[in-house]
Amino acid sequence: MNQTERRNYLIRELLSEQPEYASLQIPEDEGGQKRLLRSLFNIRMPLPAGDKFLAVQDAYLKEETRRKGITKLSDLTPVQEGICLWQGDITTLACDAIVNAANSQMLGCFCPCHGCIDNAIHTFSGIQLRLACAELMERQGQEEPVGKAKITQGFNLPCRYVLHTVGPMIHGRLTGQDLELLASCYRSCLELAEENGIKSIAFCCISTGEFHFPNDRAAEIAVRTVKEYREQIHSGMEVIFNVFKNEDYEIYRKLLGAD
């Protein structure tokens, strides 16, 4: 199969799982097909799938990521010892682990084609990720507490693992508890990564955006917590601060003293 054939196969299979969409017409244009496929991935509940579906999906997603361009850790230049700053799509980053800003259900974003990082990571990892997260949450028996972290495979992403953490959601003014909970997200991820032998980890801007944590304060906490952790346990883990927006790039650049 080529990419178009894979995409149409996946769309047809996913539509067949949704009787209410049986009469939905598949768009003829590539962009429309991609939006529909992503939407169907996003709304699908955490359920197993057949071997053929998974094989086609895996081939499709890996090729899509290849076409976007994969960035390796070795392509990055550290701005400080063991610390890099990189602006780009975290789903294209090849390192040991990336961090996902999850919600307390830990099942990914169900809103079709939403712009959050949770949506992107679940989309390009594939349906296996939502199922893996659902199994973790079933064993836990409750929603994920703010400030903690879980680990899963990366599946079809270039990274080996995804660390999922739930940051504080801000309503009104920042509190001391908000600051500590965000710092706890970074510590929890670093500790979990260390436990699993992870040598490189990429952090997104946890709790900013949809969770409304002020970008500058969030970055200050991120940098301070990572530096304190590295110093306290003499960790050799390489850390990447991943940003997507220009605003965040400038904030981190100043904090890290990058040229």
Side-chain angles (χ1 to χ4, degrees), residues 46-144:
L47 299 169
D51 290 343
K52 181 179 179 181
F53 180 92
L54 292 176
V56 175
Q57 176 214 241
D58 293 355
Y60 177 80
L61 291 175
K62 286 174 180 174
E63 176 60 16
E64 286 298 292
T65 299
R66 187 195 68 79
R67 291 182 181 186
K68 287 190 291 184
I70 294 173
T71 299
K72 299 178 181 179
L73 177 62
S74 58
D75 297 330
L76 306 181
T77 302
V79 293
Q80 292 186 14
E81 184 180 354
I83 296 177
C84 295
L85 172 62
W86 181 67
Q87 184 176 19
D89 178 355
I90 201 170
T91 67
T92 65
L93 186 57
C95 58
D96 277 0
I98 63 172
V99 173
N100 178 29
N103 57 49
S104 59
Q105 289 184 312
M106 296 286 280
L107 296 181
C109 172
F110 283 85
C111 183
C113 296
H114 193 256
C116 68
I117 194 168
D118 198 14
N119 186 292
I121 287 174
H122 273 265
T123 296
F124 292 100
S125 179
I127 64 171
Q128 299 97 316
L129 182 57
R130 181 166 283 169
L131 184 58
C133 288
E135 291 170 350
L136 284 175
M137 298 310 290
E138 185 176 357
R139 289 198 295 270
Q140 180 163 288
Q142 64 180 21
E143 292 190 345
E144 182 72 0

Side-chain angles (χ1 to χ4, degrees), residues 147-149 165 183-193:
K148 302 299 182 182
T165 189
S184 179
C185 288
Y186 286 89
R187 283 195 301 271
S188 295
C189 287
L190 290 164
E191 290 166 358
L192 187 57

Side-chain angles (χ1 to χ4, degrees), residues 224-235:
R224 182 173 66 249
T225 306
V226 164
K227 285 187 173 182
E228 287 176 353
Y229 179 86
R230 286 173 55 82
E231 291 170 3
Q232 287 169 0
I233 71 161
H234 307 290
S235 173

Side-chain angles (χ1 to χ4, degrees), residues 86-90 115 117 205 242-249:
W86 181 67
Q87 184 176 19
D89 178 355
I90 201 170
I117 194 168
C205 301
N242 164 250
V243 300
F244 194 72
K245 298 177 180 178
N246 292 335
E247 172 191 1
D248 290 314
Y249 181 80

